[in-house]
Structure formats: structure tokens, C-alpha cells
Amino acid sequence: AQSVTQLDSQVPVFEEAPVELRCNYSSSVSVYLFWYVQYPNQGLQLLLKYLSGSTLVKGINGFEAEFNKSQTSFHLRKPSVHISDTAEYFCAVSDRPGNTGKLIFGQGTTLQVKP
Amino acid sequence: EPEVTQTPSHQVTQMGQEVILRCVPISNHLYFYWYRQILGQKVEFLVSFYNNEISEKSEIFDDQFSVERPDGSNFTLKIRSTKLEDSAMYFCASSEVADEQYFGPGTRLTVT
């Protein structure tokens, strides 16, 4: 069965500092990988996705993530965060095409950007 | 930009009552999903729906739950007899192909 582990429940960081949110997954099959962001009292918004091809994926709001198959990781990075990046971030995995597209989510990481 | 909408935003119901949560997916999407998030916990998959039938469901999605696409635009989740532990945020999602899901803002269900 697939699972996703987000290693940090909370990440405090100062504005304009770099940040990395960690995500590891386990799966016996090839997967798609996603990062979603949830701002307070809102739904989930897709930040970026890895389907195939280049292992470095760029998303919205200056975020990027790197797929590392050997380490089964998909860490999210941003070189300089803003106050507005304060939110909950979820890593998710789904099986490759041909299935239902069900997403398995990690526990989430709260990014707290301080002035 | 098209978006997934959900109604109501907040539903309060008494234990044992039936509730119907409504979603309007993006119009050209073919895959539909329900997820839930209990306060402080991770988002959990409930059910996926394609071609007018359930394609996959989780262990959570027992006989108390059902989904329906009654017309060309709505996608509903019904809980037949609510329990306290059904209190959660329920998210609807849709996708054109099974690789990128767009989520609605959620319905907060409170069972008292």
C-alpha cells in the first residue's frame, strides 16, 4: 500500500529565508507526486506535480520540488519565503495512469513565516 | 478560471440525521472525488467516481455513505445516518484526466 510521510509537522522560518519541506513516500509501483497548499479556511490548491520527465519540477508562487527515486523523496523548496506563504502544505501520491487517480496524502506541514 | 464549488460551506446536524453535501465540479471534468479531513488530521480519500459509477472507495466509505451525479453538473455525497465521528471537512475534487485534481473549498460538517 502507498503511504506518504511528511517529516516535519511545523516549520518556522523568517521572511526571505529559504525553506525545505520534506516528503517521503512508499509505493510498490510508479507514482505521480503532488504538493498542495491549503490557506486558512480554504480548499487545497495544487502547487506542483511530478508525472514524468525532468526530476526538478517548478510550480506556482516560486516553489519547486525534486523527485528522487532512489531516496523515494519529493521535497518542496523555495529560495526566499514571504509572509503570504504561511499555510499548510500537503504532499500526495497517486498510482500511475490507468487507475482512479486516488490521492494519498501526508499529514501536512505547517509553514509559519515570521517577519 | 473555472473552479469546483461546494454547498453548504458549513452544515450542522444532529446524530442520526441524513445529510447531503453538494458539489459542482468543473464542467469538462470526467473524474470526481470526495475526501475528508478530520480536524487536525490528514486529508483522507473516500471515493472516486467515473462514468457514472464508483471506481474506488476506501474503508471509510461504508454503507452509510453514497454518491450520486443526479444531473450533468452536480455531484453529491450522502451520509445516511450521521455519527459524531463524521464531523470533518469534506472536500470534493474533479479532474479531466486522473492526474491533476482540482479541489473545492470544502463543507465543514458538524454532528452534534
Side-chain angles (χ1 to χ4, degrees):
Chain A
Q2 296 169 328
S3 67
V4 177
T5 302
Q6 291 182 243
L7 298 164
D8 307 296
S9 59
Q10 292 189 356
V11 173
V13 64
F14 286 105
E15 194 173 17
E16 297 183 9
V19 71
E20 178 180 84
L21 306 184
R22 296 180 294 169
C23 172
N24 286 89
Y25 70 92
S26 67
S27 176
S28 57
V29 298
S30 296
V31 295
Y32 287 163
L33 293 157
F34 306 83
W35 276 98
Y36 282 85
V37 60
Q38 184 180 31
Y39 297 105
N41 301 314
Q42 294 187 27
L44 298 164
Q45 180 182 5
L46 181 67
L47 270 180
L48 48 78
K49 62 183 179 183
Y50 171 79
L51 305 182
S52 65
S54 173
T55 57
L56 182 63
V57 179
K58 293 191 184 298
I60 62 171
N61 301 342
F63 284 93
E64 63 181 33
E66 185 151 20
F67 170 57
N68 187 318
K69 188 174 181 180
S70 62
Q71 297 187 4
T72 60
S73 67
F74 191 55
H75 301 332
L76 181 71
R77 302 186 185 99
K78 186 169 182 178
S80 175
V81 294
H82 302 290
I83 296 285
S84 59
D85 292 323
T86 295
E88 187 85 7
Y89 291 79
F90 292 95
C91 181
V93 64
S94 75
D95 284 346
R96 294 301 294 276
N99 77 319
T100 66
K102 170 184 75 177
L103 290 174
I104 303 298
F105 284 88
Q107 299 91 325
T109 297
T110 302
L111 177 63
Q112 301 164 320
V113 182
K114 306 176 189 177
Chain B
E1 184 177 330
E3 58 182 19
V4 177
T5 60
Q6 291 185 242
T7 54
S9 57
H10 191 189
Q11 173 91 45
V12 181
T13 189
Q14 289 190 327
M15 197 166 52
Q17 296 296 303
E18 174 183 287
V19 294
I20 297 176
L21 310 183
R22 291 183 167 80
C23 168
V24 178
I26 294 172
S27 62
N28 63 331
H29 285 187
L30 302 175
Y31 297 81
F32 312 107
Y33 308 85
W34 283 101
Y35 294 83
R36 80 172 185 190
Q37 184 181 28
I38 295 172
L39 188 64
Q41 298 185 25
K42 63 182 175 181
V43 178
E44 301 173 289
F45 168 78
L46 291 178
V47 66
S48 58
F49 192 86
Y50 171 72
N51 201 26
N52 283 321
E53 60 183 20
I54 291 174
S55 45
E56 188 172 359
K57 59 183 180 180
S58 71
E59 293 174 353
I60 304 166
F61 195 88
D62 61 22
D63 292 344
Q64 294 299 312
F65 291 87
S66 62
V67 289
E68 197 176 35
R69 188 155 161 80
D71 52 42
S73 59
N74 290 282
F75 180 51
T76 62
L77 174 69
K78 182 193 290 186
I79 308 175
R80 223 180 316 277
S81 177
T82 50
K83 307 183 188 75
L84 292 175
E85 54 265 36
D86 293 327
S87 294
M89 182 73 91
Y90 288 80
F91 293 106
C92 173
S94 70
S95 63
E96 190 173 2
V97 293
D99 69 352
E100 181 173 338
Q101 295 175 30
Y102 291 82
F103 283 76
T107 292
R108 180 167 299 284
L109 176 65
T110 302
V111 182
T112 61

